[in-house]
Amino acid sequence: MENYNAKTGKHLIQILMFSMYNDQRIIYREYIQNAYDAINKAVKDGILSQMKDGIVDVRIDSDAQRIIIKDNGIGIKSNEVAEKLLNIADSRKDGITSAGQYGIGRLAGAGYCRYLRFKTSALGENTASIISFDVDFANQIINDVEDESSATEVIDIITKMETVPEKESEQYFEVTLEGVSKEYRELLNTEAVTEYLREVAPIDYSMKFKNVLVTPSLKQIGNPLYSSLYDSIGHVSVYVNGSTELRKRYNLKIDGTGDEIDSLDFFRVDTDNGDLLAWGWYAVTPYTKQIPVSDANRGIRLRKHNIQLGTSDLLNKYFGEARGNNYFYGEVFAVHPNLRPNSDRSGLAPTPETEVLFDKLRLIFKNLGKLYQVANNAKNAVKKVALAVDKLTSGIETDEQHIQAEIKSAEAELSKVENSSNAQSQVAKRVIELHKTKAQEKKNEIKEKKSSTPKPMIKPMDTPSIAPTPVSPTSSPQQTDIYEPLREKFTDKEILLIRRAFTYMTLACPGASKPMLEQLKLHAINQLKLS
């Protein structure tokens, strides 16, 4: 429009400083994302040898209400500091080769403190530049309805810039939040921040997870593409208050269910033209039940540049049923250049590639839904095996022939699950094998009980004790079946019904009350015998 100069109002500063994120902890992710980019640039320029040489040091002083986040990345040259740190939404980052892209996240920390300070130096310079933002002053200007300052004018008013001496060998970028409000207790909680960063930050897996699960699984799958993709995951070293290097929380078991992780399965997501959109992995387990919300690793997560997007349930809606994602540990790494995070990193920005990615993930997750359904059917069959074995080994039921029939029936169910159409993938077959192993382990308890049961000792006739009980030619000294006296009045089918009734009563009875139940059982059998 001619003769009109558009104005960016001061309330843009209010949005950038005070309204960008609904989770206060996200400021850590934002500043570590910037550190990741700075470290990546230092590697490309030959200042650091590799990404893992990049260090992000987080210092939290709750008493002083201060947070400092410092990295050893490329830093910013003194003649570029004002342009890069004071211009609004003017970043040269493209979101493709870098994790950041808009140049607005750096002000997000201002919403939680009184002063926000950036300090930086580039290799070879003997000075460091410091830019400070007076957040209280910014609030005063924004809340003054009479003040008509533009966004850029507010930045100029609240900002102070200075230089201080520095060693030429130093390169870094340091963010300081001074005067963090106690209202934001989680920001000053070292333990809470540590756990959050272990979930979202671009860090490595634990050595145990890599050595026991990742490396063997990659070898087993035998596809060099996945090894290459895995090796391309960028990660930096993050420390909180001098801690050991943070690692992702994945371990050898599913924390919330106790299921052991057997292996990892890998998948890729391609366009119809064969271009790689994303790739990922998920943990192969017996999937005995849903992982509870208390397990912070629950769900397959979406990551870009190894930084988590959104929350743990972001991909839930792409499963046939939302609860489906609650059976898995896993990650999806978006790699296509047109898969870019949206402004608050709660997900991906809408692009044609984003739409295709989620359509393809729906198909992959549909098959994962079949996987845990197969696992559930197999688990139910194994439960029946375990119940039958427990009845025999606990002495609740002594008819081994009947127990073996129950076991065979349960194994037939398991075989039916194994031959179902949903169980034909290699992963499904492996999951069923895990359940079959559990069934066999349970059956082995019968053999163990037989081998450990001591043979009864017959006392010598001259022992001055109670006279031995006469043994009829048709009975055995080892006979202990309390239901045997009922055979005089009841058929085998009727005795089996009575036996089962007492079996289920015993299984449902609290441990402390079982002695009383056993007395009642004997009394009832005597009454039935006399009736």
Side-chain angles (χ1 to χ4, degrees):
M1 184 181 295
E2 295 182 5
N3 302 321
Y4 182 79
N5 294 320
K7 177 182 178 181
T8 303
K10 64 183 181 181
H11 292 291
L12 174 61
I13 302 301
Q14 182 179 25
I15 293 172
L16 297 180
M17 284 189 169
F18 310 113
S19 307
M20 274 291 291
Y21 305 113
N22 56 13
D23 183 346
Q24 56 190 270
R25 301 173 302 172
I26 289 177
I27 65 166
Y28 284 103
R29 186 190 65 190
E30 289 300 314
Y31 290 129
I32 290 179
Q33 167 194 296
N34 291 337
Y36 177 95
D37 287 338
I39 290 167
N40 189 29
K41 185 69 166 60
V43 172
K44 290 180 179 179
D45 288 1
I47 296 173
L48 295 176
S49 298
Q50 49 192 339
M51 283 295 291
K52 66 180 182 181
D53 293 332
I55 296 174
V56 183
D57 186 26
V58 179
R59 297 283 171 174
I60 302 171
D61 188 336
S62 57
D63 293 333
Q65 297 173 247
R66 181 187 302 116
I67 298 169
I68 300 174
I69 304 170
K70 183 178 181 179
D71 67 71
N72 66 339
I74 193 71
I76 302 177
K77 294 180 179 179
S78 57
N79 63 346
E80 298 176 354
V81 167
E83 176 187 358
K84 290 189 174 182
L85 298 182
L86 296 181
N87 289 356
I88 301 173
D90 191 37
S91 174
R92 299 297 186 269
K93 296 180 180 180
D94 57 11
I96 300 173
T97 57
S98 60
Q101 57 186 335
Y102 299 114
I104 57 179
R106 62 176 175 268
L107 294 178
Y112 306 97
C113 62
R114 297 183 62 190
Y115 295 94
L116 177 64
R117 184 179 303 115
F118 301 142
K119 182 180 180 182
T120 185
S121 182
L123 189 67
E125 295 194 337
N126 59 8
T127 60
S129 303
I130 301 175
I131 290 184
S132 302
F133 297 87
D134 188 331
V135 180
D136 284 349
F137 195 9
N139 262 317
Q140 291 177 27
I141 297 172
I142 291 169
N143 293 327
D144 184 353
V145 295
E146 302 295 329
D147 191 303
E148 298 182 356
S149 299
S150 67
T152 52
E153 287 170 342
V154 173
I155 291 292
D156 290 339
I157 294 169
I158 68 171
T159 302
K160 176 184 175 182
M161 183 171 177
E162 59 183 314
T163 59
V164 295
E166 187 54 272
K167 296 177 183 177
E168 292 185 3
S169 59
E170 295 288 327
Q171 90 275 340
Y172 59 86
F173 191 90
E174 180 181 278
V175 181
T176 300
L177 280 67
E178 199 76 60
V180 177
S181 172
K182 291 186 177 180
E183 175 186 353
Y184 307 110
R185 289 186 294 273
E186 280 197 40
L187 294 181
L188 297 170
N189 185 324
T190 301
E191 184 177 345
V193 171
T194 296
E195 288 307 304
Y196 174 73
L197 292 179
R198 292 180 69 191
E199 179 178 0
V200 305
I203 54 179
D204 201 1
Y205 303 104
S206 71
M207 292 304 299
K208 184 185 294 186
F209 187 79
K210 292 199 296 184
N211 292 339
V212 177
L213 289 172
V214 178
T215 301
S217 296
L218 287 170
K219 287 182 179 178
Q220 183 178 6
I221 203 168
N223 188 335
L225 169 68
Y226 290 112
S227 295
S228 176
L229 290 170
Y230 168 72
D231 290 338
S232 70
I233 298 175
H235 55 82
V236 297
S237 300
V238 178
Y239 303 86
V240 178
N241 283 7
S243 66
T244 56
E245 182 183 348
L246 300 192
R247 300 283 181 140
K248 293 180 182 178
R249 289 181 299 221
Y250 300 115
N251 212 319
L252 305 185
K253 286 186 176 182
I254 304 296
D255 292 337
T257 65
D259 286 343
E260 290 189 10
I261 300 176
D262 175 74
S263 59
L264 306 182
D265 191 40
F266 298 87
F267 59 90
R268 59 181 291 172
V269 187
D270 296 325
T271 65
D272 292 338
N273 295 327
D275 296 329
L276 181 65
L277 289 169
W279 69 280
W281 64 267
Y282 63 91
V284 179
T285 80
Y287 306 115
T288 57
K289 56 185 174 182
Q290 287 189 65
I291 304 171
V293 68
S294 59
D295 186 339
N297 291 328
R298 182 176 78 163
I300 297 177
R301 318 296 182 89
L302 180 62
R303 303 180 85 92
K304 178 74 174 183
H305 296 291
N306 199 20
I307 301 170
Q308 182 174 300
L309 302 182
T311 56
S312 61
D313 60 357
L314 176 64
L315 298 179
N316 283 22
K317 60 185 175 183
Y318 302 107
F319 280 77
E321 47 185 3
R323 72 185 181 96
N325 199 17
N326 298 339
Y327 283 87
F328 298 96
Y329 278 5
E331 295 176 311
V332 176
F333 295 91
V335 297
H336 194 281
N338 289 339
L339 295 175
R340 305 182 186 183
N342 54 22
S343 59
D344 64 354
R345 301 187 70 85
S346 61
L348 292 171
T351 65
E353 289 77 13
T354 298
E355 185 176 349
V356 173
L357 171 67
F358 290 138
D359 283 344
K360 301 279 187 178
L361 284 178
R362 280 191 181 93
L363 296 176
I364 292 172
F365 293 163
K366 182 179 180 181
N367 288 328
L368 292 189
K370 295 178 182 178
L371 187 60
Y372 68 75
Q373 289 169 2
V374 164
N376 185 62
N377 293 336
K379 178 191 70 175
N380 289 336
V382 173
K383 271 186 178 180
K384 293 179 181 179
V385 173
L387 179 62
V389 171
D390 286 344
K391 287 190 290 187
L392 185 63
T393 57
S394 65
I396 291 174
E397 189 159 347
T398 57
D399 187 344
E400 185 173 345
Q401 187 174 359
H402 172 69
I403 291 297
Q404 291 295 348
E406 287 188 359
I407 291 174
K408 286 183 179 179
S409 175
E411 288 179 328
E413 285 187 33
L414 190 55
S415 179
K416 186 176 180 180
V417 174
E418 188 174 15
N419 294 323
S420 67
S421 59
N422 287 344
Q424 298 312 302
S425 70
Q426 290 300 314
V427 177
K429 290 179 182 297
R430 180 56 189 155
V431 170
I432 291 174
E433 195 63 36
L434 295 176
H435 285 281
K436 289 173 69 176
T437 299
K438 288 186 176 181
Q440 186 59 52
E441 289 173 351
K442 201 66 186 175
K443 287 167 59 180
N444 289 342
E445 292 181 14
I446 297 177
K447 296 179 182 179
E448 292 170 3
K449 181 175 177 60
K450 286 182 177 179
S451 62
S452 63
T453 301
K455 294 181 180 180
M457 296 181 64
I458 302 176
K459 293 183 179 181
M461 293 303 294
D462 58 348
T463 302
S465 182
I466 301 175
T469 302
V471 179
S472 68
T474 59
S475 65
S476 167
Q478 296 103 322
Q479 184 174 354
T480 58
D481 188 357
I482 62 173
Y483 300 96
E484 186 66 26
L486 298 180
R487 295 190 181 279
E488 297 177 4
K489 288 196 172 186
F490 297 91
T491 66
D492 288 346
K493 188 173 182 180
E494 290 171 330
I495 292 173
L496 178 60
L497 181 62
I498 296 169
R499 186 191 301 274
R500 285 184 175 176
F502 279 119
T503 293
Y504 292 114
M505 289 173 63
T506 303
L507 290 173
C509 182
S513 301
K514 283 185 178 178
M516 181 183 296
L517 180 62
E518 290 301 314
Q519 292 180 11
L520 291 172
K521 188 190 302 184
L522 293 173
H523 179 71
I525 290 172
N526 285 330
Q527 292 299 312
L528 287 170
K529 183 174 65 174
L530 297 173
S531 62

